[in-house]
Every structure is written in C-alpha cells, then in structure tokens.
Amino acid sequence: MNGSRVVEASREYYEDLEHLRYRCMELLDDYHEPTSFWTLGDPPPPKPEKPQGQIFTDKPYRHWPLVRGVWDPLKHGWPPEGVRLSDAWMYQVFRYMSRNERTTRYWSEFQGDGAIRANRVPMGETFVGVAHGLESYPVFKGWYVLCGGAVAKRYKTWMLSPSSYTRIGGLSNLSSLFFGVVFPQKGQIHIHREELKAHYFEHVMHIGRYPRAVVVGVEQWVACYNDYAIVYNDKFQDLPYRIVCLQQLEPQWTCTPDPNSDRLEIRQGPVVNPTPSRWSFAPVPPDFLVQF
C-alpha cells in the first residue's frame, strides 16, 4: 500500500469529483469519435507530422483510425504511428513501453512527460484487473480511469484529480497503474481481464544499444479493506457513481485463490491525503456515500 487513500468519503472530495465530472462532460461535447479502424495485418497509415509551436488540440488527428483488437505487442508488434489507441492499448503501453518511446510514437495520446493528455477522452476497449475476487479499472497514477469509450460516455467520470496535481508527483512518483480504486457496475462483462498475482508488480524491459534492465511500468493494488472506492452504477439517477467502503463489495482476503498470496490490510491510524485544491461547486446529495 502506498500510504495514501485515493478516494475519500468527504464533502470536499465529492465536490472535487463533481467539478471534474463536469470537465469530462465538456470534453465529450467536443469529442469526435473515430469512424475508421486499424487492426493487426492492415497496412500502416501515412506517418503523421507532429504539430510544432502551437497549442495542442485533437483536430489534427480526429480522422485517424482507432486500433481495434488486442494482441501481445512483444510477439506481434505495436500499432503504427498515426492511429488512436484504445484504452486497452493505453494499458499495454504503460506496462511495456518506456516514457520516451511512448511520447515519440504516440504523441497524440501522451505529453512530453509521459502522462496522458488532459484533453483525451477514453476510447474503445479496455482491460480490468482481477484481484480479491473483484474487477477494477486501471487508474493511471490515481488520476485517469482507463474505463473504455462506452463506459466514459455512459458515466462521464474518468478524472479523479486534476492532471497537473498528478504530474508533479501526486500519490506516486512512478508511472504506475492503480487497481482497487474504481469498480464497474455489478454484472458488467469484460472481455479483457488481467489476473493480478500480487499487490505490486514491476514490468522490466531491456532498453538501449547495450541493453539494461529498466522498470517501465508498475501495477499495484492500492486499497485497504477499510478504504473507499468509486462504483459506477446506473440505478443512481442523480449521480452515475457512488463512493463506497471496499468492505461493502465483499472482497476476498487474498489477492488470488492461493492462500499465500498478498492479503488485504486494514488501514491504521490517521491518514495523510495529498488532496487537490478544493472547489465549492455543487450541493452534496445525502446519499452520495452508499451503505449497502
């Protein structure tokens, strides 16, 4: 565990989240969904030129095809330049590609520091991580939920903190993927599922002319048994999500069915939360914290 809660059951955190949800809605209003696709075996599109010396918008690449399908990039290769990456491929990139490589190859999705572009809308398919008998979405550095295009349009909540706050360090200095933070609606079926074998796992690649082992991605389960989480749900008419205590989701105590795998912890003592600035934005509904 990294010592800090990502989600808080407080009025301040709820107001922050609602502010960010309205930002997601603004991005969706200006979003142009890809109308063409690229998959393994198709000829690569023309190599694009990266815009220089101008404010970055998505207009230059709105016509680019979206990658469809998922395969092992270490065996069959990566999608070419000039395509849009689905959230499933964003997940693959964070696991297996260095920061410099992803910002050079897929500059439409990533900033120069390797973070996701703040104006990017989730697209296409995605992965879920499976641990403690539960499925949860990968969350880039506790900020951006890789929930896929359909879920993004349905619930309009994929930002959990301001992107600038995350890029300067936030909850982790690593370009890591968090699990145990945001959960899908109960009964939702996901094709791409990744079994998490431990609470912390490093992806190591050999990079450079004289290959050296470099950690390029980290996946970690960050929730304790008594921490809070976000659950997407259609039955809530006033909000598309609720903040719940993880124990209400009835997790298994061990990460995998193996009784010797990592166990859930119970958070002890006061919690120091590096929270973003507070906004007074919307009244808090009395039931935003769900008790099942």
Side-chain angles (χ1 to χ4, degrees):
M1 306 302 169
N2 68 357
S4 300
R5 282 185 172 129
V6 179
V7 176
E8 281 296 322
S10 67
R11 179 189 182 92
E12 290 82 2
Y13 182 77
Y14 165 79
E15 290 176 349
D16 289 357
L17 201 58
E18 278 298 277
H19 182 96
L20 292 163
R21 184 164 72 94
Y22 274 78
R23 175 57 181 154
C24 292
M25 293 167 66
E26 290 174 351
L27 290 174
L28 282 169
D29 287 342
D30 192 46
Y31 173 60
H32 292 253
E33 190 168 1
T35 57
S36 60
F37 300 92
W38 185 93
T39 192
L40 187 64
D42 289 347
K47 186 175 180 179
E49 291 188 11
K50 184 177 180 180
Q52 301 291 334
Q54 57 182 286
I55 297 175
F56 199 93
T57 70
D58 69 344
K59 290 182 180 179
Y61 50 84
R62 284 179 175 176
H63 64 284
W64 290 7
L66 176 67
V67 178
R68 182 161 57 185
V70 177
W71 56 88
D72 185 345
L74 304 183
K75 292 182 179 179
H76 304 292
W78 290 94
E81 297 180 54
V83 299
R84 300 304 310 273
L85 297 182
S86 67
D87 281 19
W89 277 100
M90 296 287 283
Y91 174 70
Q92 298 270 61
V93 165
F94 282 125
R95 298 172 80 199
Y96 300 127
M97 190 174 280
S98 69
R99 183 184 68 181
N100 289 339
E101 190 175 4
R102 67 177 181 253
T103 57
T104 300
R105 189 180 185 93
Y106 302 123
W107 47 264
S108 63
E109 317 290 350
F110 301 100
Q111 301 183 147
D113 61 1
I116 299 172
R117 290 195 178 276
N119 65 349
R120 181 188 183 273
V121 172
M123 292 180 287
E125 307 165 280
T126 193
F127 275 86
V128 291
V130 182
H132 299 284
L134 301 172
E135 294 182 347
S136 63
Y137 293 111
V139 182
F140 173 65
K141 292 188 69 174
W143 161 52
Y144 189 107
V145 186
L146 294 171
C147 58
V151 170
K153 288 188 291 185
R154 191 169 186 172
Y155 302 109
K156 303 175 179 64
T157 306
W158 65 83
M159 296 184 188
L160 306 185
S161 66
S163 59
S164 58
Y165 159 77
T166 305
R167 288 199 300 273
I168 63 175
L171 298 170
S172 171
N173 290 323
L174 297 171
S175 292
S176 54
L177 296 167
F178 291 1
F179 291 92
V181 178
V182 179
F183 294 84
Q185 175 171 284
K186 187 175 182 180
Q188 194 166 353
I189 298 174
H190 295 89
I191 298 174
H192 308 299
R193 304 168 79 249
E194 184 71 19
E195 303 282 343
L196 304 182
K197 305 299 184 184
H199 282 177
Y200 185 91
F201 183 80
E202 294 181 345
H203 292 280
V204 179
M205 302 295 291
H206 295 278
I207 297 173
R209 179 180 298 179
Y210 304 101
R212 58 189 179 91
V214 175
V215 177
V216 295
V218 173
E219 294 180 272
Q220 49 188 327
W221 174 276
V222 298
C224 293
Y225 184 71
N226 54 337
D227 279 349
Y228 294 100
I230 291 171
V231 178
Y232 295 140
N233 203 310
D234 287 331
K235 73 178 182 180
F236 305 132
Q237 296 183 0
D238 56 333
L239 282 177
Y241 64 87
R242 281 296 186 272
I243 296 174
V244 306
C245 188
L246 184 66
Q247 64 183 349
Q248 296 170 250
L249 302 181
E250 300 181 346
Q252 298 173 1
W253 279 103
T254 55
C255 186
T256 72
D258 182 352
N260 296 316
S261 62
D262 290 338
R263 294 180 61 83
L264 279 176
E265 300 175 9
I266 296 178
R267 194 177 295 278
Q268 304 290 336
V271 180
V272 178
N273 295 288
T275 52
S277 60
R278 303 304 187 185
W279 302 286
S280 177
F281 188 74
V284 181
D287 59 346
F288 84 98
L289 177 61
V290 170
Q291 300 293 336
F292 289 113

